[in-house]
Amino acid sequence: MKKRITIIGSGFSALSAACYLTQSGHEVFVYEKNESIGGRARQLKKGGFTFDMGPSWYWMPDVFERFFADFGKKTTDYYELVKLSPAYRVYFGIQDFIAIADNLEEIVSTFESVEKGSGNELRKFMAEAKSNYDIAIKDLVYRPGVSPLELITLETTKKLGQFFGNISKDVRKKFKNEKLIQILEFPVLFLGAKPSDTPSFYSFMNFADFGLGTWHPKTGMFDVVRAMETLARELGVQFFVNSNIEKIIVENKIAKAIVVNGERIDSDLVLSGADYHHTETLLDSEFRQYSEKYWESRVFAPSSLLFYIGFDKKLENISHHMLFFDTDFDQHAKEIYDDPKWPEAPLFYANFPSVTDKTAAPDGMESAFFLIPLAPGIHDSEKLREEYFGKIILRFEQLTAQSVKENIIFKESFCKNDFVEQYNSYKGNAYGMANTLLQTAFLRPKLKSGKVRNLYFTGQLTVPGPGVPPALISGKLVSSLINKQFLNE
């Protein structure tokens, strides 16, 4: 039976759900607070430069293919992918870096050249990581987090110990060189927690990295947003931007409507792809599932200080993705998770899309995206932003042996306050709720409200977790639950 469904937000999970629900025959209306579709994956255009404002890593290409295949499509129907070579560089000192190749054989050789015997250890580690990937990404993450029994399969019982070990210990058992250890610990940072708090089973992220490679949509990650929006419109989804949701109206414990810019809009069901905590504040207090104390007790992924920069020249010694691990990795992690404060000597990430995509910057110029991970909820000010930009740009110049500061045409920043203001993000987090052992699958906030009928949630604070591929999956999972409810009515 056709239902009228209202979706709050237009990030990856909301776009995914919109497609699946429309495919199932429902009328779907998407309301986006900001002026453009995409949620955190919006685009910034300025002075001939183009930036992805949010996600910039395209990993797990099979998940994207699986999404489009569900609609009889392929990614190539909408956008072109480029496999990055090298995938990324990791800097440890002045002109001291390790480049990660676009294939496992070369990566094995690189490891062996740094630490004798590590090549063979990497092969064994990656075999286990691939096994975990096949179990997790091809099966477990497509389960809705309704019951702990979802995690119990023949394959997972064989790997039970991996849910109680952690990535940090595993890597250190096999590798002694600190540079190699940090490279292997890096991928799980996408899950939003320290490697020492991330279960061993999550080594599947290493297979996503070394096994499947790092890709880039030809003109940026916004290509994926544009593709999903196009697919959604082809299916019949209707979009409304500049539509701030002020309240979810509940009558007789059933979600009946939303209030958008002062106007009541009725529907049969409300699905929120917006921040979970914020969505519950749109409800009267008796209809909220999770208390402020609950949210305060959760481990959240970091916030970020971001800079979008246009340079008036081509830069030297750069690659598309660059990680700067020339300071203490563990200390920065402590300053995010254990003793939240602005880091003394932050690690940072730099992305130069114009290395790959010539449309990202005018001829002879370079576009750049710098990111410092920060603790969510800390104080944010223009003064602090400028202070930290000074720190990282000086190190960038030293580490890459070039002068660039005087070549900046423009610079825009985005930090905790902006995440709160533009995305209603809890404490200004950038990536959602971390995937620790106690925040995995059925232990995450539920896709379906337990207090309000016909109210559902999707996105990085619910199942399966943070990241773009999980967001696509989250949209599919919640759509299945919604259709199951309608079939049983």
Side-chain angles (χ1 to χ4, degrees), residues 151 191-193 197 199 202 294-301 337 432-445 460-466:
L151 296 179
L191 301 171
D197 291 333
Y202 283 97
Y294 169 86
W295 291 112
E296 188 66 36
S297 70
R298 300 300 89 187
V299 178
F300 273 82
Y337 297 103
M433 188 183 289
N435 256 341
T436 61
L437 179 62
L438 297 179
Q439 294 181 175
T440 294
F442 67 97
L443 295 173
R444 297 180 71 80
Q460 57 188 7
L461 268 66
T462 180
V463 179

PDB file of all heavy atoms in Angstrom, residues 151 191-193 197 199 202 294-301 337 432-445 460-466:
ATOM      1  N   LEU A 151      24.568 -11.038  15.200  1.00  0.00           N
ATOM      2  CA  LEU A 151      26.024 -11.149  15.140  1.00  0.00           C
ATOM      3  C   LEU A 151      26.516 -12.581  15.242  1.00  0.00           C
ATOM      4  O   LEU A 151      27.697 -12.849  15.059  1.00  0.00           O
ATOM      5  CB  LEU A 151      26.650 -10.320  16.274  1.00  0.00           C
ATOM      6  CG  LEU A 151      26.434  -8.806  16.215  1.00  0.00           C
ATOM      7  CD1 LEU A 151      27.087  -8.142  17.419  1.00  0.00           C
ATOM      8  CD2 LEU A 151      26.978  -8.226  14.926  1.00  0.00           C
ATOM      9  N   LEU A 191      36.451   4.865  11.835  1.00  0.00           N
ATOM     10  CA  LEU A 191      35.387   4.327  12.671  1.00  0.00           C
ATOM     11  C   LEU A 191      35.142   5.202  13.894  1.00  0.00           C
ATOM     12  O   LEU A 191      34.205   4.966  14.649  1.00  0.00           O
ATOM     13  CB  LEU A 191      35.724   2.899  13.111  1.00  0.00           C
ATOM     14  CG  LEU A 191      35.933   1.893  11.976  1.00  0.00           C
ATOM     15  CD1 LEU A 191      36.479   0.583  12.522  1.00  0.00           C
ATOM     16  CD2 LEU A 191      34.639   1.660  11.221  1.00  0.00           C
ATOM     17  N   GLY A 192      36.010   6.184  14.097  1.00  0.00           N
ATOM     18  CA  GLY A 192      35.750   7.184  15.118  1.00  0.00           C
ATOM     19  C   GLY A 192      36.278   6.886  16.503  1.00  0.00           C
ATOM     20  O   GLY A 192      35.887   7.538  17.461  1.00  0.00           O
ATOM     21  N   ALA A 193      37.169   5.894  16.644  1.00  0.00           N
ATOM     22  CA  ALA A 193      37.700   5.583  17.970  1.00  0.00           C
ATOM     23  C   ALA A 193      39.204   5.300  17.874  1.00  0.00           C
ATOM     24  O   ALA A 193      39.745   5.098  16.793  1.00  0.00           O
ATOM     25  CB  ALA A 193      36.986   4.361  18.559  1.00  0.00           C
ATOM     26  N   ASP A 197      40.831   1.012  21.239  1.00  0.00           N
ATOM     27  CA  ASP A 197      39.438   0.794  21.626  1.00  0.00           C
ATOM     28  C   ASP A 197      38.610   0.185  20.497  1.00  0.00           C
ATOM     29  O   ASP A 197      37.384   0.076  20.607  1.00  0.00           O
ATOM     30  CB  ASP A 197      38.787   2.123  22.046  1.00  0.00           C
ATOM     31  CG  ASP A 197      39.348   2.654  23.351  1.00  0.00           C
ATOM     32  OD1 ASP A 197      39.814   1.837  24.164  1.00  0.00           O
ATOM     33  OD2 ASP A 197      39.337   3.889  23.543  1.00  0.00           O
ATOM     34  N   PRO A 199      37.747  -3.044  18.187  1.00  0.00           N
ATOM     35  CA  PRO A 199      37.913  -4.504  18.159  1.00  0.00           C
ATOM     36  C   PRO A 199      38.738  -4.993  16.973  1.00  0.00           C
ATOM     37  O   PRO A 199      38.693  -4.419  15.876  1.00  0.00           O
ATOM     38  CB  PRO A 199      36.468  -5.012  18.059  1.00  0.00           C
ATOM     39  CG  PRO A 199      35.650  -3.930  18.689  1.00  0.00           C
ATOM     40  CD  PRO A 199      36.334  -2.653  18.306  1.00  0.00           C
ATOM     41  N   TYR A 202      37.658  -5.368  13.295  1.00  0.00           N
ATOM     42  CA  TYR A 202      37.572  -4.224  12.384  1.00  0.00           C
ATOM     43  C   TYR A 202      38.813  -4.062  11.504  1.00  0.00           C
ATOM     44  O   TYR A 202      38.944  -3.069  10.796  1.00  0.00           O
ATOM     45  CB  TYR A 202      37.302  -2.947  13.172  1.00  0.00           C
ATOM     46  CG  TYR A 202      35.867  -2.825  13.623  1.00  0.00           C
ATOM     47  CD1 TYR A 202      35.487  -3.203  14.908  1.00  0.00           C
ATOM     48  CD2 TYR A 202      34.897  -2.351  12.768  1.00  0.00           C
ATOM     49  CE1 TYR A 202      34.167  -3.108  15.324  1.00  0.00           C
ATOM     50  CE2 TYR A 202      33.565  -2.240  13.170  1.00  0.00           C
ATOM     51  CZ  TYR A 202      33.211  -2.624  14.454  1.00  0.00           C
ATOM     52  OH  TYR A 202      31.902  -2.527  14.854  1.00  0.00           O
ATOM     53  N   TYR A 294      22.379   9.770  28.577  1.00  0.00           N
ATOM     54  CA  TYR A 294      22.776   8.717  27.636  1.00  0.00           C
ATOM     55  C   TYR A 294      23.737   9.270  26.589  1.00  0.00           C
ATOM     56  O   TYR A 294      24.813   8.712  26.363  1.00  0.00           O
ATOM     57  CB  TYR A 294      21.540   8.136  26.949  1.00  0.00           C
ATOM     58  CG  TYR A 294      21.875   7.234  25.768  1.00  0.00           C
ATOM     59  CD1 TYR A 294      22.151   5.886  25.966  1.00  0.00           C
ATOM     60  CD2 TYR A 294      21.927   7.746  24.473  1.00  0.00           C
ATOM     61  CE1 TYR A 294      22.474   5.062  24.905  1.00  0.00           C
ATOM     62  CE2 TYR A 294      22.251   6.924  23.390  1.00  0.00           C
ATOM     63  CZ  TYR A 294      22.516   5.589  23.618  1.00  0.00           C
ATOM     64  OH  TYR A 294      22.854   4.778  22.547  1.00  0.00           O
ATOM     65  N   TRP A 295      23.362  10.377  25.960  1.00  0.00           N
ATOM     66  CA  TRP A 295      24.212  10.935  24.897  1.00  0.00           C
ATOM     67  C   TRP A 295      25.561  11.362  25.461  1.00  0.00           C
ATOM     68  O   TRP A 295      26.599  11.174  24.818  1.00  0.00           O
ATOM     69  CB  TRP A 295      23.509  12.123  24.230  1.00  0.00           C
ATOM     70  CG  TRP A 295      22.311  11.725  23.418  1.00  0.00           C
ATOM     71  CD1 TRP A 295      21.002  12.007  23.697  1.00  0.00           C
ATOM     72  CD2 TRP A 295      22.293  10.949  22.211  1.00  0.00           C
ATOM     73  NE1 TRP A 295      20.178  11.459  22.734  1.00  0.00           N
ATOM     74  CE2 TRP A 295      20.946  10.810  21.805  1.00  0.00           C
ATOM     75  CE3 TRP A 295      23.301  10.371  21.423  1.00  0.00           C
ATOM     76  CZ2 TRP A 295      20.569  10.113  20.663  1.00  0.00           C
ATOM     77  CZ3 TRP A 295      22.933   9.675  20.280  1.00  0.00           C
ATOM     78  CH2 TRP A 295      21.587   9.543  19.912  1.00  0.00           C
ATOM     79  N   GLU A 296      25.537  11.901  26.658  1.00  0.00           N
ATOM     80  CA  GLU A 296      26.781  12.354  27.280  1.00  0.00           C
ATOM     81  C   GLU A 296      27.720  11.176  27.543  1.00  0.00           C
ATOM     82  O   GLU A 296      28.950  11.328  27.527  1.00  0.00           O
ATOM     83  CB  GLU A 296      26.458  13.073  28.602  1.00  0.00           C
ATOM     84  CG  GLU A 296      27.632  13.754  29.261  1.00  0.00           C
ATOM     85  CD  GLU A 296      28.194  14.923  28.462  1.00  0.00           C
ATOM     86  OE1 GLU A 296      27.406  15.648  27.815  1.00  0.00           O
ATOM     87  OE2 GLU A 296      29.429  15.103  28.491  1.00  0.00           O
ATOM     88  N   SER A 297      27.159   9.999  27.761  1.00  0.00           N
ATOM     89  CA  SER A 297      27.971   8.821  28.097  1.00  0.00           C
ATOM     90  C   SER A 297      28.528   8.103  26.873  1.00  0.00           C
ATOM     91  O   SER A 297      29.347   7.201  26.998  1.00  0.00           O
ATOM     92  CB  SER A 297      27.134   7.824  28.912  1.00  0.00           C
ATOM     93  OG  SER A 297      26.129   7.224  28.094  1.00  0.00           O
ATOM     94  N   ARG A 298      28.094   8.486  25.675  1.00  0.00           N
ATOM     95  CA  ARG A 298      28.541   7.806  24.459  1.00  0.00           C
ATOM     96  C   ARG A 298      29.937   8.288  24.027  1.00  0.00           C
ATOM     97  O   ARG A 298      30.351   9.404  24.328  1.00  0.00           O
ATOM     98  CB  ARG A 298      27.581   8.059  23.301  1.00  0.00           C
ATOM     99  CG  ARG A 298      26.137   7.588  23.486  1.00  0.00           C
ATOM    100  CD  ARG A 298      26.034   6.093  23.713  1.00  0.00           C
ATOM    101  NE  ARG A 298      26.119   5.755  25.133  1.00  0.00           N
ATOM    102  CZ  ARG A 298      26.183   4.526  25.608  1.00  0.00           C
ATOM    103  NH1 ARG A 298      26.187   3.498  24.767  1.00  0.00           N
ATOM    104  NH2 ARG A 298      26.261   4.304  26.900  1.00  0.00           N
ATOM    105  N   VAL A 299      30.637   7.417  23.313  1.00  0.00           N
ATOM    106  CA  VAL A 299      31.914   7.799  22.713  1.00  0.00           C
ATOM    107  C   VAL A 299      31.634   8.307  21.305  1.00  0.00           C
ATOM    108  O   VAL A 299      31.156   7.553  20.453  1.00  0.00           O
ATOM    109  CB  VAL A 299      32.899   6.605  22.639  1.00  0.00           C
ATOM    110  CG1 VAL A 299      34.202   7.035  21.958  1.00  0.00           C
ATOM    111  CG2 VAL A 299      33.171   6.050  24.033  1.00  0.00           C
ATOM    112  N   PHE A 300      31.925   9.573  21.090  1.00  0.00           N
ATOM    113  CA  PHE A 300      31.676  10.164  19.780  1.00  0.00           C
ATOM    114  C   PHE A 300      32.962  10.261  18.977  1.00  0.00           C
ATOM    115  O   PHE A 300      34.049  10.431  19.521  1.00  0.00           O
ATOM    116  CB  PHE A 300      31.032  11.542  19.918  1.00  0.00           C
ATOM    117  CG  PHE A 300      29.533  11.463  20.022  1.00  0.00           C
ATOM    118  CD1 PHE A 300      28.932  11.177  21.238  1.00  0.00           C
ATOM    119  CD2 PHE A 300      28.736  11.618  18.908  1.00  0.00           C
ATOM    120  CE1 PHE A 300      27.558  11.065  21.340  1.00  0.00           C
ATOM    121  CE2 PHE A 300      27.362  11.504  18.992  1.00  0.00           C
ATOM    122  CZ  PHE A 300      26.766  11.231  20.206  1.00  0.00           C
ATOM    123  N   ALA A 301      32.792  10.129  17.680  1.00  0.00           N
ATOM    124  CA  ALA A 301      33.903  10.368  16.772  1.00  0.00           C
ATOM    125  C   ALA A 301      34.309  11.832  16.875  1.00  0.00           C
ATOM    126  O   ALA A 301      33.549  12.663  17.380  1.00  0.00           O
ATOM    127  CB  ALA A 301      33.474  10.021  15.352  1.00  0.00           C
ATOM    128  N   TYR A 337      40.121  11.899  22.995  1.00  0.00           N
ATOM    129  CA  TYR A 337      39.233  10.963  23.693  1.00  0.00           C
ATOM    130  C   TYR A 337      39.359  10.962  25.218  1.00  0.00           C
ATOM    131  O   TYR A 337      38.365  10.792  25.918  1.00  0.00           O
ATOM    132  CB  TYR A 337      39.486   9.541  23.186  1.00  0.00           C
ATOM    133  CG  TYR A 337      39.165   9.365  21.723  1.00  0.00           C
ATOM    134  CD1 TYR A 337      40.172   9.323  20.767  1.00  0.00           C
ATOM    135  CD2 TYR A 337      37.846   9.256  21.286  1.00  0.00           C
ATOM    136  CE1 TYR A 337      39.877   9.172  19.423  1.00  0.00           C
ATOM    137  CE2 TYR A 337      37.536   9.106  19.941  1.00  0.00           C
ATOM    138  CZ  TYR A 337      38.565   9.065  19.015  1.00  0.00           C
ATOM    139  OH  TYR A 337      38.270   8.926  17.684  1.00  0.00           O
ATOM    140  N   GLY A 432      29.950  11.213  13.641  1.00  0.00           N
ATOM    141  CA  GLY A 432      28.945  10.377  14.291  1.00  0.00           C
ATOM    142  C   GLY A 432      29.435   9.720  15.555  1.00  0.00           C
ATOM    143  O   GLY A 432      30.334  10.200  16.230  1.00  0.00           O
ATOM    144  N   MET A 433      28.833   8.586  15.875  1.00  0.00           N
ATOM    145  CA  MET A 433      29.161   7.843  17.091  1.00  0.00           C
ATOM    146  C   MET A 433      30.190   6.762  16.762  1.00  0.00           C
ATOM    147  O   MET A 433      30.041   6.034  15.790  1.00  0.00           O
ATOM    148  CB  MET A 433      27.898   7.212  17.673  1.00  0.00           C
ATOM    149  CG  MET A 433      28.114   6.578  19.031  1.00  0.00           C
ATOM    150  SD  MET A 433      26.607   5.773  19.657  1.00  0.00           S
ATOM    151  CE  MET A 433      25.612   7.211  20.018  1.00  0.00           C
ATOM    152  N   ALA A 434      31.224   6.689  17.573  1.00  0.00           N
ATOM    153  CA  ALA A 434      32.309   5.747  17.313  1.00  0.00           C
ATOM    154  C   ALA A 434      31.833   4.294  17.337  1.00  0.00           C
ATOM    155  O   ALA A 434      30.899   3.949  18.056  1.00  0.00           O
ATOM    156  CB  ALA A 434      33.420   5.944  18.342  1.00  0.00           C
ATOM    157  N   ASN A 435      32.503   3.450  16.569  1.00  0.00           N
ATOM    158  CA  ASN A 435      32.197   2.020  16.555  1.00  0.00           C
ATOM    159  C   ASN A 435      33.129   1.284  17.519  1.00  0.00           C
ATOM    160  O   ASN A 435      34.046   0.586  17.113  1.00  0.00           O
ATOM    161  CB  ASN A 435      32.349   1.443  15.143  1.00  0.00           C
ATOM    162  CG  ASN A 435      31.008   1.197  14.479  1.00  0.00           C
ATOM    163  OD1 ASN A 435      29.988   1.115  15.142  1.00  0.00           O
ATOM    164  ND2 ASN A 435      31.007   1.096  13.172  1.00  0.00           N
ATOM    165  N   THR A 436      32.892   1.472  18.812  1.00  0.00           N
ATOM    166  CA  THR A 436      33.591   0.679  19.823  1.00  0.00           C
ATOM    167  C   THR A 436      32.792  -0.611  20.038  1.00  0.00           C
ATOM    168  O   THR A 436      31.682  -0.764  19.525  1.00  0.00           O
ATOM    169  CB  THR A 436      33.684   1.455  21.144  1.00  0.00           C
ATOM    170  OG1 THR A 436      32.351   1.729  21.612  1.00  0.00           O
ATOM    171  CG2 THR A 436      34.417   2.779  20.952  1.00  0.00           C
ATOM    172  N   LEU A 437      33.345  -1.537  20.838  1.00  0.00           N
ATOM    173  CA  LEU A 437      32.664  -2.810  21.075  1.00  0.00           C
ATOM    174  C   LEU A 437      31.269  -2.593  21.660  1.00  0.00           C
ATOM    175  O   LEU A 437      30.302  -3.262  21.263  1.00  0.00           O
ATOM    176  CB  LEU A 437      33.493  -3.684  22.028  1.00  0.00           C
ATOM    177  CG  LEU A 437      32.879  -5.052  22.382  1.00  0.00           C
ATOM    178  CD1 LEU A 437      32.711  -5.911  21.129  1.00  0.00           C
ATOM    179  CD2 LEU A 437      33.727  -5.766  23.423  1.00  0.00           C
ATOM    180  N   LEU A 438      31.145  -1.643  22.587  1.00  0.00           N
ATOM    181  CA  LEU A 438      29.857  -1.405  23.258  1.00  0.00           C
ATOM    182  C   LEU A 438      28.960  -0.441  22.479  1.00  0.00           C
ATOM    183  O   LEU A 438      27.909  -0.034  22.978  1.00  0.00           O
ATOM    184  CB  LEU A 438      30.105  -0.885  24.676  1.00  0.00           C
ATOM    185  CG  LEU A 438      30.832  -1.863  25.603  1.00  0.00           C
ATOM    186  CD1 LEU A 438      31.055  -1.243  26.972  1.00  0.00           C
ATOM    187  CD2 LEU A 438      30.056  -3.176  25.729  1.00  0.00           C
ATOM    188  N   GLN A 439      29.378  -0.086  21.276  1.00  0.00           N
ATOM    189  CA  GLN A 439      28.567   0.773  20.418  1.00  0.00           C
ATOM    190  C   GLN A 439      28.502   0.187  19.017  1.00  0.00           C
ATOM    191  O   GLN A 439      28.578   0.891  18.017  1.00  0.00           O
ATOM    192  CB  GLN A 439      29.138   2.202  20.382  1.00  0.00           C
ATOM    193  CG  GLN A 439      29.051   2.913  21.717  1.00  0.00           C
ATOM    194  CD  GLN A 439      29.585   4.345  21.702  1.00  0.00           C
ATOM    195  OE1 GLN A 439      29.477   5.056  22.701  1.00  0.00           O
ATOM    196  NE2 GLN A 439      30.154   4.778  20.589  1.00  0.00           N
ATOM    197  N   THR A 440      28.357  -1.132  18.974  1.00  0.00           N
ATOM    198  CA  THR A 440      28.310  -1.848  17.700  1.00  0.00           C
ATOM    199  C   THR A 440      26.942  -2.499  17.524  1.00  0.00           C
ATOM    200  O   THR A 440      26.361  -3.004  18.480  1.00  0.00           O
ATOM    201  CB  THR A 440      29.417  -2.937  17.656  1.00  0.00           C
ATOM    202  OG1 THR A 440      30.697  -2.304  17.648  1.00  0.00           O
ATOM    203  CG2 THR A 440      29.300  -3.804  16.415  1.00  0.00           C
ATOM    204  N   ALA A 441      26.440  -2.466  16.303  1.00  0.00           N
ATOM    205  CA  ALA A 441      25.223  -3.187  15.900  1.00  0.00           C
ATOM    206  C   ALA A 441      24.049  -2.874  16.839  1.00  0.00           C
ATOM    207  O   ALA A 441      23.646  -1.728  16.970  1.00  0.00           O
ATOM    208  CB  ALA A 441      25.518  -4.684  15.822  1.00  0.00           C
ATOM    209  N   PHE A 442      23.524  -3.891  17.537  1.00  0.00           N
ATOM    210  CA  PHE A 442      22.321  -3.727  18.364  1.00  0.00           C
ATOM    211  C   PHE A 442      22.552  -2.809  19.563  1.00  0.00           C
ATOM    212  O   PHE A 442      21.595  -2.411  20.232  1.00  0.00           O
ATOM    213  CB  PHE A 442      21.824  -5.098  18.845  1.00  0.00           C
ATOM    214  CG  PHE A 442      22.758  -5.780  19.809  1.00  0.00           C
ATOM    215  CD1 PHE A 442      22.557  -5.693  21.178  1.00  0.00           C
ATOM    216  CD2 PHE A 442      23.860  -6.496  19.349  1.00  0.00           C
ATOM    217  CE1 PHE A 442      23.419  -6.308  22.075  1.00  0.00           C
ATOM    218  CE2 PHE A 442      24.727  -7.123  20.236  1.00  0.00           C
ATOM    219  CZ  PHE A 442      24.506  -7.026  21.595  1.00  0.00           C
ATOM    220  N   LEU A 443      23.811  -2.451  19.842  1.00  0.00           N
ATOM    221  CA  LEU A 443      24.120  -1.567  20.967  1.00  0.00           C
ATOM    222  C   LEU A 443      24.145  -0.089  20.562  1.00  0.00           C
ATOM    223  O   LEU A 443      24.418   0.772  21.386  1.00  0.00           O
ATOM    224  CB  LEU A 443      25.468  -1.962  21.586  1.00  0.00           C
ATOM    225  CG  LEU A 443      25.506  -3.358  22.231  1.00  0.00           C
ATOM    226  CD1 LEU A 443      26.915  -3.721  22.655  1.00  0.00           C
ATOM    227  CD2 LEU A 443      24.553  -3.431  23.415  1.00  0.00           C
ATOM    228  N   ARG A 444      23.847   0.196  19.305  1.00  0.00           N
ATOM    229  CA  ARG A 444      23.765   1.575  18.845  1.00  0.00           C
ATOM    230  C   ARG A 444      22.321   2.074  18.961  1.00  0.00           C
ATOM    231  O   ARG A 444      21.393   1.262  19.094  1.00  0.00           O
ATOM    232  CB  ARG A 444      24.236   1.678  17.381  1.00  0.00           C
ATOM    233  CG  ARG A 444      25.692   1.295  17.194  1.00  0.00           C
ATOM    234  CD  ARG A 444      26.123   1.403  15.737  1.00  0.00           C
ATOM    235  NE  ARG A 444      26.213   2.793  15.300  1.00  0.00           N
ATOM    236  CZ  ARG A 444      27.237   3.598  15.561  1.00  0.00           C
ATOM    237  NH1 ARG A 444      28.265   3.157  16.269  1.00  0.00           N
ATOM    238  NH2 ARG A 444      27.256   4.844  15.109  1.00  0.00           N
ATOM    239  N   PRO A 445      22.089   3.380  18.905  1.00  0.00           N
ATOM    240  CA  PRO A 445      20.707   3.880  18.890  1.00  0.00           C
ATOM    241  C   PRO A 445      19.915   3.231  17.758  1.00  0.00           C
ATOM    242  O   PRO A 445      20.437   3.006  16.666  1.00  0.00           O
ATOM    243  CB  PRO A 445      20.896   5.391  18.660  1.00  0.00           C
ATOM    244  CG  PRO A 445      22.225   5.686  19.265  1.00  0.00           C
ATOM    245  CD  PRO A 445      23.075   4.482  18.949  1.00  0.00           C
ATOM    246  N   GLN A 460      24.681   8.170  10.640  1.00  0.00           N
ATOM    247  CA  GLN A 460      25.915   7.750  11.290  1.00  0.00           C
ATOM    248  C   GLN A 460      25.830   7.608  12.814  1.00  0.00           C
ATOM    249  O   GLN A 460      26.772   7.124  13.434  1.00  0.00           O
ATOM    250  CB  GLN A 460      27.040   8.713  10.922  1.00  0.00           C
ATOM    251  CG  GLN A 460      26.773  10.160  11.269  1.00  0.00           C
ATOM    252  CD  GLN A 460      27.838  11.075  10.695  1.00  0.00           C
ATOM    253  OE1 GLN A 460      28.701  10.654   9.941  1.00  0.00           O
ATOM    254  NE2 GLN A 460      27.792  12.343  11.057  1.00  0.00           N
ATOM    255  N   LEU A 461      24.719   8.001  13.420  1.00  0.00           N
ATOM    256  CA  LEU A 461      24.561   7.778  14.856  1.00  0.00           C
ATOM    257  C   LEU A 461      23.768   6.513  15.149  1.00  0.00           C
ATOM    258  O   LEU A 461      23.608   6.121  16.299  1.00  0.00           O
ATOM    259  CB  LEU A 461      23.890   8.982  15.539  1.00  0.00           C
ATOM    260  CG  LEU A 461      24.861  10.028  16.098  1.00  0.00           C
ATOM    261  CD1 LEU A 461      25.621  10.711  14.987  1.00  0.00           C
ATOM    262  CD2 LEU A 461      24.124  11.050  16.945  1.00  0.00           C
ATOM    263  N   THR A 462      23.287   5.862  14.098  1.00  0.00           N
ATOM    264  CA  THR A 462      22.566   4.616  14.289  1.00  0.00           C
ATOM    265  C   THR A 462      23.291   3.494  13.538  1.00  0.00           C
ATOM    266  O   THR A 462      24.502   3.554  13.341  1.00  0.00           O
ATOM    267  CB  THR A 462      21.085   4.783  13.880  1.00  0.00           C
ATOM    268  OG1 THR A 462      20.410   3.547  14.089  1.00  0.00           O
ATOM    269  CG2 THR A 462      20.913   5.235  12.449  1.00  0.00           C
ATOM    270  N   VAL A 463      22.578   2.482  13.102  1.00  0.00           N
ATOM    271  CA  VAL A 463      23.170   1.289  12.490  1.00  0.00           C
ATOM    272  C   VAL A 463      23.408   1.533  11.000  1.00  0.00           C
ATOM    273  O   VAL A 463      22.550   2.103  10.333  1.00  0.00           O
ATOM    274  CB  VAL A 463      22.205   0.085  12.697  1.00  0.00           C
ATOM    275  CG1 VAL A 463      22.764  -1.170  12.068  1.00  0.00           C
ATOM    276  CG2 VAL A 463      21.922  -0.119  14.182  1.00  0.00           C
ATOM    277  N   PRO A 464      24.562   1.083  10.426  1.00  0.00           N
ATOM    278  CA  PRO A 464      25.647   0.348  11.092  1.00  0.00           C
ATOM    279  C   PRO A 464      26.751   1.217  11.692  1.00  0.00           C
ATOM    280  O   PRO A 464      27.529   0.722  12.491  1.00  0.00           O
ATOM    281  CB  PRO A 464      26.210  -0.517   9.955  1.00  0.00           C
ATOM    282  CG  PRO A 464      25.948   0.245   8.721  1.00  0.00           C
ATOM    283  CD  PRO A 464      24.649   0.998   8.948  1.00  0.00           C
ATOM    284  N   GLY A 465      26.862   2.510  11.296  1.00  0.00           N
ATOM    285  CA  GLY A 465      27.894   3.337  11.901  1.00  0.00           C
ATOM    286  C   GLY A 465      28.404   4.424  10.982  1.00  0.00           C
ATOM    287  O   GLY A 465      27.808   4.718   9.947  1.00  0.00           O
ATOM    288  N   PRO A 466      29.537   5.046  11.359  1.00  0.00           N
ATOM    289  CA  PRO A 466      30.058   6.191  10.606  1.00  0.00           C
ATOM    290  C   PRO A 466      30.695   5.804   9.277  1.00  0.00           C
ATOM    291  O   PRO A 466      31.159   4.686   9.093  1.00  0.00           O
ATOM    292  CB  PRO A 466      31.092   6.793  11.560  1.00  0.00           C
ATOM    293  CG  PRO A 466      31.533   5.650  12.415  1.00  0.00           C
ATOM    294  CD  PRO A 466      30.334   4.772  12.569  1.00  0.00           C
TER     295      PRO A 466
END
